[in-house]
Amino acid sequence: DRKKKHSKHKKSRRRSRSDSYDSYSSDDSSSSGYSSSRDRKKKGSKKRKHSKSSKNEPTAISTNSMQGKFGKYGIVKDSDFHNKQSCFQHWLADIKGIPLSSGKMPRNELMEYFKEFAEDFNTATLPHIKYYDYDKWEMEEYERQKAETKATSTVKGDEWEYQEERKRLVKEKQNAEMNRIKSGLMGRNRDQLEDMKRQALLKAELTNAYKVGDEETRKRLQRKLEPEKT
């Protein structure tokens, strides 16, 4: 009986050791699974942080770009309100649709608009170059338009001169042709006149030959008066 009890006790100790070992193994595996899951979470967090930092990079570049433009055309402060009246008034009329001549605006409201104008001025984001120095831009625009008008007038003047020269040449050619025709007609008329005079003289001589009875002279003159046979 003692031997049987002793063997049963050994078997129970073995089972307890086996159960504890299995429990330890399961705990170890769950622990390793937890650690691997935690590692994956860390990696995912690092990736998210990296993606966030990469997304923020363009913003940083954009900020640097804005800093590079700041003060490009100068710096306007509230104290420059009177100095920048021309630029500000045209900006207010063109962009905000509020001409100052339409009526008096409260001082505080006017200054709010000027602060907005100054901010765009200082960051070089005004919609047109003319609002930075309107008087200068207006003078340059006037000179440009004057140059364009002059260039157009020069082209028109050259074209007008060319057309006038063509008309003159055509007229000269026509006059030359008329003179040639007139000269030909006058030459033919002169020849005809001389021939008529000669015919009249021969007829007078023929009549005289008839009267005096000079037969030989009459025949000679008559042959001259006869038309030439072709």
Side-chain angles (χ1 to χ4, degrees):
D1 293 334
R2 287 180 180 177
K3 288 181 179 181
K4 287 180 180 179
K5 288 180 180 180
H6 184 67
S7 63
K8 287 180 180 180
H9 182 68
K10 282 184 177 181
K11 287 181 180 179
S12 64
R13 287 175 64 186
R14 286 174 186 164
R15 280 197 301 270
S16 63
R17 286 178 183 175
S18 177
D19 293 339
S20 63
Y21 177 75
D22 291 340
S23 176
Y24 175 76
S25 297
S26 64
D27 292 342
D28 186 42
S29 62
S30 63
S31 176
S32 63
Y34 174 74
S35 63
S36 63
S37 176
R38 187 169 56 186
D39 292 340
R40 284 195 298 271
K41 287 181 180 180
K42 285 183 178 180
K43 288 181 180 178
S45 177
K46 286 181 180 179
K47 287 182 179 179
R48 285 193 296 272
K49 286 181 180 179
H50 180 70
S51 64
K52 285 181 180 179
S53 63
S54 63
K55 286 180 181 179
N56 289 334
E57 284 178 2
T59 304
I61 293 172
S62 177
T63 304
N64 292 335
S65 177
M66 289 300 296
Q67 288 176 352
K69 288 183 178 180
F70 187 82
K72 181 179 179 181
Y73 299 100
I75 302 297
V76 173
K77 301 176 183 178
D78 292 349
S79 57
D80 296 317
F81 177 77
H82 295 289
N83 297 333
K84 288 294 180 180
Q85 272 300 295
S86 179
C87 300
F88 175 59
Q89 285 181 7
H90 284 91
W91 173 85
L92 197 64
D94 297 344
I95 307 304
K96 300 299 181 180
I98 307 174
L100 293 180
S101 58
S102 62
K104 291 185 178 181
M105 183 184 296
R107 175 75 177 180
N108 58 344
E109 186 178 352
L110 189 63
M111 290 307 298
E112 287 298 322
Y113 279 118
F114 185 76
K115 286 179 180 179
E116 183 181 348
F117 166 78
E119 182 180 355
D120 291 348
F121 188 104
N122 296 337
T123 55
T125 54
L126 287 170
H128 196 279
I129 192 69
K130 64 183 178 182
Y131 300 119
Y132 295 101
D133 192 338
Y134 192 88
D135 295 336
K136 179 182 177 183
W137 174 85
E138 191 175 36
M139 181 57 67
E140 290 176 350
E141 188 69 10
Y142 168 75
E143 293 295 335
R144 184 184 65 79
Q145 291 180 0
K146 187 169 73 171
E148 288 181 357
T149 303
K150 184 178 180 181
T152 304
S153 300
T154 302
V155 171
K156 289 182 178 179
D158 294 342
E159 180 67 19
W160 181 82
E161 290 180 359
Y162 172 73
Q163 293 296 339
E164 288 298 313
E165 181 66 15
R166 283 191 62 186
K167 289 179 182 178
R168 186 182 64 80
L169 292 174
V170 169
K171 191 172 182 179
E172 285 184 357
K173 187 176 180 181
Q174 291 175 348
N175 290 337
E177 184 68 16
M178 289 297 295
N179 290 333
R180 186 183 65 80
I181 293 171
K182 286 180 180 180
S183 298
L185 290 173
M186 288 176 67
R188 286 196 296 272
N189 290 337
R190 190 181 299 112
D191 293 340
Q192 289 176 359
L193 184 61
E194 291 293 331
D195 186 62
M196 288 172 66
K197 288 181 179 180
R198 185 176 62 82
Q199 292 283 339
L201 182 60
L202 290 174
K203 286 179 180 180
E205 291 179 359
L206 180 62
T207 301
N208 187 50
Y210 270 116
K211 287 179 179 181
V212 297
D214 189 351
E215 193 67 20
E216 184 178 352
T217 301
R218 184 186 64 79
K219 290 180 180 180
R220 180 176 60 80
L221 293 172
Q222 196 169 3
R223 283 195 299 271
K224 286 184 177 181
L225 291 170
E226 289 177 357
E228 296 180 357
K229 294 181 181 181
T230 57

